[in-house]
Structure formats: structure tokens, C-alpha cells
Amino acid sequence: MPDTHLSNSPIIAAYTERTRKSASLFRDAQDKFPGGLVHDSRRMKPHPIYVDRAEGARKWDVDGNEYIDYYGGHGALLMGHTHPTLVAAVNKQIARGTHPAACHELELDWAQLVQLLIHSAERVRFTSSGTEANLLAIRLARAFTGKTKLVRFENHFHGWQDHVAFGSKYTPDAEDVPGVLKGIVENVIVADPHDADAVKEMLESRDDIAAVIMEPTGASSGQVPLGRDFAKMVRQVTQDRGIVLIFDEVVTGFRMSPGGLQAAWGIFPDITGLAKILAGGLPGGAVVGRRDIMELLDYDVAEARGFQKISHHGTYNANPLAAAAGKAMLTAIAEEDVTERAAEMGAKLRDAWNAVFAAEDMPWAAYGLTSTTYIFMNPDGINIDPQAFDQFAHPADAFLATDRHPARAKLRLALMLNGVDVSSKPGAIMSSVHTDDDVAETAEAMRRSVRMLKEEGAV
Ligand code: PMP
């Protein structure tokens, strides 16, 4: 049986030994933050690392350990850390003022690039985060249709706000959600995206649905893959039924293609939630979409047509620093091949890892789309060939099962011991500045990590 305990593990012991300063900082954090953390996904046993600095595809922790970084600022850093173009843009703006409390030209430049890249962005409203973008998108959809029900899909993540705070991987239960009003829960339908017929039937038969929100590539940014056919079906039915379709492209926007997943698949939603890459690694998000829906935010249109305008404030909407970084990032995406290059490196990493899994006789597989990669850890021992793994040929449960693999946390620690920081899924978010050498080093790190796990009986 694999060892699920943190004690008596050479991997944990070695990690503890080389991250002493991080351990000490984490102890200091206990009487400051609940659980010592500022973000739920930083949770790591025995303790998380504290990062001192980052540059390009690398980062260094406070103990001086170097990592090739595959967490990529939770997906925001398509061009890696401290890219000179972005640093210059932000430095230039910081000296000119961080908040004019007024309109500024950078917001126009930024929005123009969003409209250039995202074809469905007839109008743009900036927010401070992806959570806020989706919150506003949902309110717009309910106001536009005059209907109440929001359809969302099991395990899809749309931020932490009340309307989507359940039915996600982190809070699967939709019965009794602490802190969320029953009235909100009752107006959200959590549907199974892997039962397309039932979804279609529901959308066709109910008259109370305002909107459908989805991660178009599947739950957790595609960790549980959903093919194009599902998105296409949902688009068709929602269009026929006058239901607002919201694509949450907070992760996939500018990453699946310069124009997001919607351009890659040729399926266009009514409204899109954007963040992460949009703001070049600074805090920022946006709701973009159909002019007639976005007009609910327009004072003059509301007055002329006699409806109550949707109120939307936000101290940091289109903040000049985020606008400067976002403009620099989106300019690079529009004019250079950064999205394509990151995607190419993602494919190389998957190939390299799958070669290691095959050589090491591990029933695991690296899969994903473009520059996002996940590791299928296969706790149920499904018979697979890592080098011929088809992510659309397995049921959702097989992918969700990775979460309960007893060695999942240890794999991440072992990779860190070997100089690689992957995301907690586990997965790898590529940037355009990762190199072939990084991929070769990362493949070797995976080989050593798998062997370490084998040695202590964890796999
Ligand atoms: N949607 C998706 C698909 C996300 O992955 C995230 C963040 N991980 C969000 C929304 C929320 O964005 P933010 O953290 O900027 O609020």
C-alpha cells in the first residue's frame, strides 16, 4: 500500500531540511493569517515555500533553492517573470502615478487590444479580478434576461464569490453552503457537463434560465477535459433559447490562442470573463461581450430606455499599472508569437514527461491543451500508454481521481527537491520563455522524482 503519511518519508525529510527558513516564516504566519495562508491553494504539507525573487522561467526561495517555475503566477505570466518589456512598462507608469482617479489613455489602449484579440468583445468593462469579472457577468445576464437561474457545471471554477462558491471542486456540496444565502443557492443549477443530453434537455425545457457559465475546456481549466462538441451544443441551445452564455476565459483567454479558446474553437459566447494574462501579471480582470448586454452599464442608454442601470464601481478598475502591464502583454501577444511559443513548449514538456513515464513503467500521463499541462495520476490503475494517451477517451471520474492519489502531494515535493515547482493539480503552466533546456531538466527532474517515490514505496 502506498505510504500516505508525512512522517518517515525521506522526501519530506529532505524537503524540510532544505526549506528551513520557509518553515520558520510559516510558523510566524500562524498568528497573522488563518491557517498561516493568504490563498487556499498555497496549502502544502509540511509547509509552503516562501519565494524571494523570480526571473524568466525561474524562481528562488528564501533558503536559496532554485526552481524552474511551472505555476506561472497561477497562469498570469505568459511571458514568464519580470519580462523586461513588462517591467519597463510598469516602471514607466509607476513614476507617472498609480491612480489618477480619472480616465486615462492607457485604459483605451488596453481595451483596444482586448477588442483586437477577443472577437466577441464588442464592449469592455475592467474589474480587479477574475472573480469580479464573473460576478458582474452573472449580474448582467440576470438583468438582461429578467430571469433568475444560473446554470454552472460540476467542478468548474469561477472564483470564490457567493453565486459560484459551491459545486466546485473545492466545495462540491450545494446543499448547505456555509455563509451563502439559501436564496442564492436555490437559484443556481449545478449540472453534470459529462451528460450532454441531460444538459441539452434542461436548457430546452426550462424557461427560468438567465445564463450558463462554463470553463469551455473543462473543469479546473481543462484538468477534466470537455471537448469542443459540448461547448458547441451549449452555444447552439443557449442561442436558440435566449440564454446568455458566459465563457470563463480567465485562464484560457490569450492562452489557448491569442483570441482565447473561443477563437481557437470558433465558438463565441455572449459574455466572457477575463483576467490573469489580460493584466500582464498585475491584478486585473474584465467582462467583455455583446454590446446590447454590456449597455446595461451605460448611464445614457439606461436613461433613454428607462431601465435601472447596473451599478459597477471598483477603486482599481483599469488601474494604470495593470493597464500598462496588460497593454505590454497584449501587444506582445498580438505582434509576436508568445502564445504559440508557450503552446509549443507545453507540447514538448508533455512529450518529455510521457517518455519518462513510459521508460519508468509508470501508468501516468501528461495531457492538456497548448501551454497547460496536467498529470493524470491514475490511482485506479487504468491500463494506459502514456505516449498514446487520449484525454477525451476517459470518463471525468478518471481525471478527478488524481486528487485522491496518495502520492500527489509528495510528487510535488519530490519535484521541488529536484528543482521544479509544478502547480498543485499537479500540472505545469508554460510561458514563452521556457527553453528546451528547461524541458530537458524538467524531464530529468520527473525521472528522479518518480524513482524517489518508488524508493519510499509511495507509488
Ligand atoms: N475563473 C477561473 C477559471 C480561474 O481559474 C480563476 C482563478 N484561478 C478565477 C475564475 C478567479 O480569478 P481571480 O483569482 O482573479 O479572482
Side-chain angles (χ1 to χ4, degrees):
M1 218 23 221
D3 173 17
T4 54
H5 291 280
L6 294 178
S7 55
N8 302 324
S9 156
I11 291 173
I12 310 263
Y15 176 85
T16 305
E17 179 58 32
R18 61 180 239 154
T19 55
R20 284 162 178 256
K21 196 162 173 197
S22 283
S24 154
L25 291 173
F26 190 55
R27 277 193 295 278
D28 288 350
Q30 297 307 311
D31 61 5
K32 297 179 180 60
F33 310 123
L37 298 174
V38 300
H39 189 299
D40 278 3
S41 73
R42 303 275 143 78
R43 184 161 192 250
M44 266 178 84
K45 298 280 183 185
H47 52 260
I49 54 160
Y50 283 71
V51 169
D52 179 41
R53 70 187 177 90
E55 189 183 336
R58 309 249 163 178
K59 64 189 181 194
W60 291 265
D61 70 16
V62 289
D63 291 281
N65 300 305
E66 178 172 324
Y67 305 91
I68 306 177
D69 181 29
Y70 292 100
Y71 221 137
H74 291 207
L77 304 178
L78 185 66
M79 289 158 64
H81 296 277
T82 62
H83 193 283
T85 311
L86 271 69
V87 171
V90 174
N91 276 341
K92 182 176 167 200
Q93 185 53 40
I94 205 165
R96 295 168 62 85
T98 59
H99 199 310
C103 304
H104 57 91
E105 282 188 56
L106 273 178
E107 70 194 22
L108 292 176
D109 299 345
W110 193 17
Q112 189 170 344
L113 284 156
V114 173
Q115 288 179 318
L116 174 76
L117 292 164
I118 306 290
H119 297 175
S120 61
E122 291 175 7
R123 291 291 182 273
V124 176
R125 176 54 77 100
F126 288 112
T127 64
S128 293
S129 67
T131 295
E132 286 181 34
N134 289 332
L135 176 61
L136 181 56
I138 292 165
R139 192 189 296 176
L140 283 166
R142 284 188 167 132
F144 185 74
T145 57
K147 297 181 179 174
T148 60
K149 296 284 190 284
L150 171 71
V151 173
R152 55 154 306 159
F153 295 113
E154 280 168 12
N155 298 310
H156 286 211
F157 184 71
H158 303 297
W160 59 266
Q161 52 96 356
D162 288 6
H163 302 260
V164 289
F166 45 94
S168 86
K169 198 156 100 169
Y170 310 101
T171 321
D173 250 347
E175 287 300 304
D176 190 11
V177 190
V180 178
L181 297 174
K182 242 188 162 60
I184 288 181
V185 178
E186 282 165 5
N187 280 295
V188 178
I189 300 166
V190 183
D192 176 2
H194 302 283
D195 187 347
D197 291 343
V199 170
K200 185 164 187 274
E201 217 268 315
M202 171 180 57
L203 296 176
E204 280 173 343
S205 60
R206 292 185 71 131
D207 287 321
D208 55 354
I209 299 172
V212 175
I213 188 168
M214 64 189 288
E215 288 193 87
T217 57
S220 297
S221 332
Q223 189 183 13
V224 186
L226 256 185
R228 180 177 181 275
D229 287 352
F230 183 75
K232 195 174 158 206
M233 178 277 286
V234 173
R235 172 66 291 187
Q236 191 59 56
V237 185
T238 50
Q239 192 170 311
D240 295 347
R241 301 280 298 151
I243 297 168
V244 174
L245 176 61
I246 305 168
F247 272 3
D248 179 344
E249 290 229 53
V250 166
V251 170
T252 55
F254 315 105
R255 188 175 282 284
M256 290 297 127
S257 84
L261 188 277
Q262 50 195 275
W265 281 1
I267 299 172
F268 296 94
D270 301 301
I271 307 188
T272 303
L274 296 168
K276 303 205 191 245
I277 293 173
L278 168 81
L282 269 74
V287 180
V288 307
R290 263 169 57 183
R291 176 181 163 170
D292 56 348
I293 300 176
M294 299 292 287
E295 271 176 355
L296 296 178
L297 292 158
D298 186 323
Y299 280 103
D300 292 335
V301 175
E303 206 175 300
R305 300 210 198 127
F307 62 78
Q308 191 181 338
K309 177 195 169 313
I310 293 209
S311 170
H312 177 238
H313 297 255
T315 301
Y316 295 107
N317 296 349
N319 174 261
L321 294 187
K327 178 184 171 183
M329 179 80 97
L330 299 192
T331 301
I333 290 169
E335 294 178 0
E336 299 164 35
D337 61 349
V338 289
T339 299
E340 296 80 358
R341 170 146 175 89
E344 192 187 315
M345 297 312 293
K348 284 183 180 177
L349 179 67
R350 289 191 286 279
D351 286 348
W353 272 351
N354 283 331
V356 170
F357 297 147
E360 294 295 318
D361 206 15
M362 284 299 293
W364 293 357
Y367 67 97
L369 296 175
T370 71
S371 45
T372 55
T373 294
Y374 307 100
I375 301 172
F376 177 72
M377 289 185 71
N378 197 5
D380 300 325
I382 299 168
N383 189 14
I384 59 158
D385 172 358
Q387 291 177 292
F389 185 73
D390 177 0
Q391 63 177 315
F392 297 109
H394 299 275
D397 285 350
F399 293 96
L400 291 166
T402 287
D403 281 2
R404 54 177 169 75
H405 194 292
R408 190 176 72 126
K410 267 191 197 167
L411 170 64
R412 184 158 177 223
L413 295 181
L415 284 164
M416 290 173 91
L417 290 175
N418 288 298
V420 166
D421 189 29
V422 294
S423 80
S424 54
K425 286 183 195 313
I429 306 168
M430 271 287 182
S431 78
S432 59
V433 301
H434 283 86
T435 63
D436 288 344
D437 285 348
D438 291 331
V439 169
E441 218 177 292
T442 306
E444 205 37 50
M446 181 60 86
R447 187 186 318 279
R448 285 198 294 266
S449 299
V450 164
R451 289 183 182 172
M452 288 167 87
L453 290 167
K454 283 180 180 168
E455 260 163 45
E456 64 178 70
V459 291

